[in-house]
Amino acid sequence: MTTPDAASDRPEPPIASRKEQQAIVARDRIVRAVIDCLDEHGYAETSINRIQERAGISRGALTHHFPSKEELMVVTAERLLQPTLVPPRKGPRQFDSAEQRISAVEADIVWMWERLVDTREGRALLEILVATRTDVALKGRISETFVRWNRAINESLAANYLLHGLAEDEQRELWTMCRVFLRGLNTQSQFEPDHHARSALVRSFARMIATRFV
Amino acid sequence: MTTPDAASDRPEPPIASRKEQQAIVARDRIVRAVIDCLDEHGYAETSINRIQERAGISRGALTHHFPSKEELMVVTAERLLQPTLVPPRKGPRQFDSAEQRISAVEADIVWMWERLVDTREGRALLEILVATRTDVALKGRISETFVRWNRAINESLAANYLLHGLAEDEQRELWTMCRVFLRGLNTQSQFEPDHHARSALVRSFARMIATRFV
DNA sequence: TACGATACAGAACGAACGTTCTGTTTGTCT
DNA sequence: AGACAAACAGAACGTTCGTTCTGTATCGTA
């Protein structure tokens, strides 16, 4: 908060000292525990006690690294948004045929579902997302992060495809639809417990929307 | 729970006595308060105290009508699923042209968003939905209700359109996609705070998917 | 080597949670 | 009229919550 951090002239390579490494490891264990707890028990039941037990550390260590629960959730949310989540490029992104492009988009959407949304991290993020809607303190801390992430992800997705003939804002809109759909699907398990049925729905949706990428 | 209710021969019109009416009104006020609290404060912060204050009744009255919080959530969830949520038929559902049918579906999707999902009730349902994922006790009580509702809603939506040339299971799939998308959009407000932008996204999505209804 | 900061440990805090309990009032039914 | 059950009121329960605190060990540095 008060760290200047503005490009100071001293080079200062980020070599972590033993103590710093220790802290990093501890913080990592804690955030990992938060994600697991959010996934398994939900936001309401993710208490300090549970996190502490899950991380296998003492109450004092936890409060030392994260003085408040809000801080804990903010850091966890930032961690969850970190791998900015663009499917890995496996082949050329300059496509020869429309069919190639369509099936590439299709595969990427399935990849997003399996690797990003239908995961511990995806479900944990949903918990935080829903909680943030009504928690004004949390909202004040991380809403800007969410908004910035949303902008960045659309840019990088569009840049990943090099589509001509489709306006950029239309591309952004389509990718946004994908994310909204996949996030919604994470709550569909109550209505459709069959995991395969939901996977099938992802594929159908992917096939449908992929054809819109001109 | 123990009311037989099976078509008994005695006519017995459901005339509620004064006391029964009193109870109905009270329960209604309470459930209403739960929905409001869920919308405004989220599941984690919807406490007995808050509900009681919001409903303007005593602690005793609340526990009398709903002996546990779980009971309260179950009844509220059932209430939220009650208006089985098919857009009102304004005109003929036998369409002359494809354009007519497309724009009818389009309008219905927008109607669902505005009247069912982007509402107090829609947001309250999302809160319960997310909480149910991890609350095993709650899940045991209402998951079956969710599954049954999901089946019923698809049937009634399909019946509302009388589409030939499109397999019924394909129709169900399309409508399911709509619901999943709209539910996901309820969590999009963190990423896209602009309400108009989200409305525009609904319209775009509706336009896209409506064309799939052959 | 000594000093200070950081990492950790755990007790103690008041507040809030959901539930249970004992009363009091008020309709309903014979 | 009288008995009974339902509607309501509110105190009290033990538990758990997140935070604050005092104390100890360890590491970096002057």
Side-chain angles (χ1 to χ4, degrees):
Chain A
M1 188 188 279
T2 55
T3 48
D5 202 79
S8 49
D9 35 50
R10 56 175 183 149
E12 183 76 18
I15 296 171
S17 70
R18 183 126 64 111
K19 209 145 211 192
E20 282 171 323
Q21 270 187 328
Q22 209 174 343
I24 290 172
V25 169
R27 288 173 66 93
D28 203 76
R29 279 172 64 91
I30 294 168
V31 171
R32 185 70 250 166
V34 174
I35 293 171
D36 290 344
C37 286
L38 285 173
D39 176 34
E40 291 169 21
H41 308 290
Y43 188 86
E45 299 296 323
T46 296
S47 65
I48 300 284
N49 263 327
R50 223 195 270 268
I51 295 166
Q52 167 219 338
E53 282 175 23
R54 181 83 186 205
I57 59 166
S58 74
R59 196 61 166 279
L62 183 55
T63 57
H64 170 70
H65 291 290
F66 301 96
S68 74
K69 194 182 180 184
E70 186 188 311
E71 194 65 30
L72 206 39
M73 288 301 163
V74 169
V75 173
T76 302
E78 282 167 355
R79 160 76 62 91
L80 288 169
L81 294 179
Q82 224 166 25
T84 308
L85 314 181
V86 174
R89 318 183 172 220
K90 290 173 206 154
R93 295 274 116 168
Q94 193 74 278
F95 303 102
D96 299 335
S97 66
E99 290 84 29
Q100 260 189 23
R101 185 164 49 234
I102 287 174
S103 65
V105 170
E106 213 177 305
D108 281 356
I109 292 171
V110 173
W111 183 89
M112 286 180 189
W113 167 247
E114 290 177 351
R115 303 286 143 184
L116 304 178
V117 183
D118 187 31
T119 60
R120 277 183 179 275
E121 287 76 11
R123 288 183 289 268
L125 182 59
L126 180 64
E127 293 286 337
I128 294 182
L129 226 45
V130 171
T132 303
R133 185 182 69 86
T134 48
D135 189 323
V136 284
L138 203 55
K139 195 170 197 163
R141 292 287 306 274
I142 55 177
S143 73
E144 204 193 333
T145 304
F146 284 141
V147 172
R148 270 190 287 107
W149 181 87
N150 193 49
R151 271 199 272 269
I153 186 83
N154 277 328
E155 306 300 326
S156 62
L157 275 168
N160 209 29
Y161 280 93
L162 300 172
L163 295 186
H164 314 300
L166 186 60
E168 255 194 61
D169 57 337
E170 283 187 68
Q171 283 187 55
R172 273 200 295 271
E173 198 174 51
L174 287 172
W175 282 118
T176 303
M177 281 184 197
C178 289
R179 287 202 309 285
V180 168
F181 175 82
L182 293 181
R183 205 180 309 128
L185 199 56
N186 246 357
T187 68
Q188 183 71 358
S189 52
Q190 307 304 318
F191 297 108
E192 177 55 83
D194 181 17
H195 190 271
H196 291 87
R198 275 178 282 139
S199 294
L201 201 63
V202 171
R203 284 193 297 275
S204 292
F205 179 83
R207 206 168 305 126
M208 177 183 76
I209 206 165
T211 63
R212 308 287 301 192
F213 283 83
V214 173
Chain B
M1 186 190 281
T2 56
T3 46
D5 201 78
S8 49
D9 35 48
R10 53 173 184 152
E12 182 76 19
I15 295 173
S17 70
R18 185 126 64 110
K19 210 145 210 192
E20 283 170 323
Q21 270 186 327
Q22 210 173 342
I24 290 171
V25 168
R27 289 174 65 93
D28 203 76
R29 280 171 62 91
I30 293 167
V31 171
R32 185 70 249 166
V34 173
I35 293 171
D36 290 344
C37 286
L38 285 173
D39 177 35
E40 292 170 20
H41 307 289
Y43 188 86
E45 299 296 322
T46 296
S47 65
I48 301 284
N49 263 326
R50 224 195 268 267
I51 294 166
Q52 166 217 341
E53 282 175 23
R54 181 82 185 207
I57 59 166
S58 74
R59 194 61 166 279
L62 182 56
T63 56
H64 169 70
H65 290 289
F66 301 95
S68 74
K69 195 183 179 184
E70 186 188 310
E71 194 65 31
L72 205 40
M73 288 301 163
V74 170
V75 173
T76 302
E78 282 166 356
R79 160 76 61 91
L80 288 169
L81 294 179
Q82 223 165 26
T84 308
L85 314 179
V86 174
R89 319 184 173 220
K90 291 174 202 150
R93 295 274 118 167
Q94 194 74 279
F95 303 101
D96 299 334
S97 66
E99 289 84 29
Q100 258 188 24
R101 184 165 51 233
I102 287 174
S103 65
V105 171
E106 213 178 306
D108 281 355
I109 292 172
V110 173
W111 181 90
M112 287 179 189
W113 167 248
E114 289 176 351
R115 302 287 142 184
L116 303 178
V117 183
D118 186 30
T119 60
R120 277 185 178 275
E121 287 77 12
R123 288 182 289 268
L125 182 59
L126 180 63
E127 293 285 338
I128 293 182
L129 225 44
V130 171
T132 303
R133 184 182 70 87
T134 49
D135 189 324
V136 284
L138 203 54
K139 196 169 198 164
R141 292 287 307 274
I142 54 178
S143 73
E144 205 192 335
T145 304
F146 284 141
V147 173
R148 269 191 286 106
W149 181 87
N150 193 49
R151 272 199 270 269
I153 186 82
N154 277 329
E155 305 300 325
S156 62
L157 275 168
N160 208 26
Y161 280 92
L162 301 171
L163 296 187
H164 315 300
L166 186 59
E168 254 194 61
D169 56 338
E170 284 189 67
Q171 282 187 56
R172 274 200 294 270
E173 199 174 52
L174 287 171
W175 282 118
T176 303
M177 283 184 196
C178 289
R179 288 202 310 285
V180 168
F181 175 81
L182 293 180
R183 206 180 310 127
L185 200 54
N186 246 356
T187 68
Q188 183 70 359
S189 51
Q190 307 303 319
F191 296 107
E192 177 53 85
D194 182 16
H195 191 271
H196 291 86
R198 276 176 281 141
S199 295
L201 200 63
V202 171
R203 285 193 297 275
S204 292
F205 178 83
R207 206 167 306 126
M208 179 184 75
I209 206 165
T211 63
R212 309 287 301 193
F213 284 85
V214 175

